[in-house]
Amino acid sequence: MPILKIRMFAWLKNLGVLAVRIVQDYPLVMSDPLPPTPLFEAIPGILLKCEFLHPGRSHKARVARALISDAEERGHLKPGDRKVLLERTGGNLGIGLAAEARIRGYELVLVTDPGYSKIKKELAARLGATVVDRGASYPECEDNEAAVQMLLRKQPGKFLYLNQFGNTANPLAHEQGTGAEILAQLIARGYGRSTPLALVSGLGTGATARGVSSVLRQWFRRVMVIGVEPPNCDLRAGRHGIHALQGFSVGQPAPFFPSAELDEIIPVTDAEVADAGRELAEKYRFFVGPSSCANYAAVQKFRSSRTDASLSDAVYVSFLFDRGEDYE
């Protein structure tokens, strides 16, 4: 295993947080200029990364900046370029992209699903994005990707499709941002390399699980990745039914983290998600979205099912992705 070199970043040290830089075959640095989001210990051994407290409102704000920065660095976007950014998104990424595009002076078109949060669509529009409801504007298209491809064919050369489902800048954002932060926070709490670790999360693109687990595996000797399965879905069988957990199991397999690579899958019910939401609100004053509640339900369910003595000192990490007020 390559030797890991861990360095302190002064600006983070002043905040009382240990930051890390891993130098290996590729550079991995803390890429987010903002202070890290908290890693909150809700229950002893269960740590929740509070991405809903990110100034961009969710974990997808990191991805938004990474997708646009990557396009600029590769020369696909240039100063004064009149290309219009295009993405298909149900909400969180749309808000992040709208904010980032506005700051950098780009036009942005978002193709959204009719079933996703109207509040998120309104936020993206207020930030300057053109929000296209696929059901109303492209009823002949069976999904958002088909609508995007229709736009690209009808107006060739106008758009730059950022493509979160196929762009490797997506998982890289979680390596260099979310994952690096979590690793720094775990080391600062005294977790050694021999501590067993379980990363529990639902999958949309799978980029969060891929990026974060890649970083954690550079330090911890045993890292399990546990998938959260929404109601009416079967991740192993590739069945993605209708459910209320926006951003999870979005009608297709997660391209960056195939289900075959998951160590285990934990199904959650609507009742368990609701109970988890009430617990987060009543115990910790956290008002978070349904997918965050599902993660919290799943991480507790997974831990309570463990009987292996080798996991007696394990740490369980999951995510509170976004804010409850962003949903109807």
Side-chain angles (χ1 to χ4, degrees):
M1 176 177 290
I3 296 174
L4 306 182
K5 298 179 182 179
I6 300 176
R7 303 189 180 122
M8 299 287 284
F9 281 76
W11 62 273
L12 281 174
K13 183 179 178 183
N14 291 337
L15 292 172
V17 180
L18 174 67
V20 298
R21 182 175 185 176
I22 302 174
V23 181
Q24 198 179 321
D25 296 332
Y26 57 92
L28 180 60
V29 299
M30 298 283 284
S31 67
D32 199 326
L34 298 170
T37 57
L39 187 65
F40 176 71
E41 190 162 18
I43 300 170
I46 292 182
L47 301 169
L48 304 173
K49 184 64 168 166
C50 297
E51 291 291 87
F52 73 101
L53 296 176
H54 192 284
R57 305 186 73 84
S58 80
H59 62 308
K60 288 298 185 80
R62 303 175 188 269
V63 177
R65 191 178 67 251
L67 293 176
I68 296 177
S69 293
D70 179 73
E72 291 176 337
E73 290 164 9
R74 293 176 182 274
H76 300 315
L77 288 173
K78 300 175 183 177
D81 199 332
R82 299 184 64 83
K83 275 189 178 293
V84 177
L85 303 181
L86 177 64
E87 186 55 85
R88 58 175 173 126
T89 169
N92 286 330
L93 181 60
I95 293 169
L97 284 173
E100 200 68 29
R102 181 170 185 162
I103 290 168
R104 303 194 197 199
Y106 298 119
E107 291 185 55
L108 171 68
V109 172
L110 302 172
V111 177
T112 69
D113 193 281
Y116 275 67
S117 167
K118 294 178 182 177
I119 294 173
K120 292 184 180 183
K121 296 175 188 179
E122 290 170 0
L123 280 170
R126 289 174 63 186
L127 287 166
T130 299
V131 180
V132 177
D133 187 290
R134 187 249 308 166
S137 300
Y138 298 97
E140 69 274 29
C141 295
E142 64 177 352
D143 56 32
N144 291 347
E145 178 64 20
V148 164
Q149 294 303 321
M150 181 176 288
L151 275 170
L152 293 173
R153 288 194 302 271
K154 285 185 173 181
Q155 301 179 74
K158 178 178 179 177
F159 297 104
L160 176 65
Y161 180 26
L162 296 170
N163 190 13
Q164 62 166 319
F165 283 83
N167 193 327
T168 55
N170 186 355
L172 187 61
H174 293 297
E175 283 191 24
Q176 296 185 340
T178 328
E181 287 181 13
I182 291 172
L183 177 56
Q185 290 163 328
L186 290 171
I187 293 173
R189 287 173 178 266
Y191 290 108
R193 301 187 70 181
S194 61
T195 304
L197 189 144
L199 183 69
V200 181
S201 182
L203 305 175
T205 66
T208 304
R210 174 63 67 202
V212 173
S213 65
S214 296
V215 174
L216 296 179
R217 282 174 171 151
Q218 303 309 311
W219 177 256
F220 294 100
R221 295 191 180 98
R222 183 180 181 187
V223 175
M224 298 165 284
V225 181
I226 314 303
V228 180
E229 185 173 85
N232 303 316
C233 296
D234 185 335
L235 299 186
R236 296 289 192 205
R239 181 168 61 84
H240 306 275
I242 297 173
H243 59 84
L245 303 182
Q246 295 180 24
F248 287 3
S249 191
V250 291
Q252 67 177 81
F256 294 113
F257 211 109
S259 60
E261 294 186 36
L262 293 168
D263 293 280
E264 195 164 328
I265 293 172
I266 300 296
V268 293
T269 66
D270 290 329
E272 288 169 338
V273 172
D275 288 343
R278 280 191 290 271
E279 183 175 331
L280 286 167
E282 293 171 2
K283 283 190 176 181
Y284 313 113
R285 309 300 190 266
F286 289 168
F287 182 37
V288 295
S291 60
S292 303
C293 300
N295 279 345
Y296 186 55
V299 72
Q300 292 189 83
K301 197 173 182 178
F302 177 69
R303 189 178 75 160
S304 65
S305 70
R306 299 301 91 193
T307 57
D308 187 344
S310 68
L311 295 177
S312 60
D313 60 344
V315 61
Y316 300 82
V317 176
S318 193
F319 305 91
L320 302 181
F321 282 132
D322 61 8
R323 306 182 185 192
E325 65 265 30
D326 289 349
Y327 295 83
E328 290 83 3

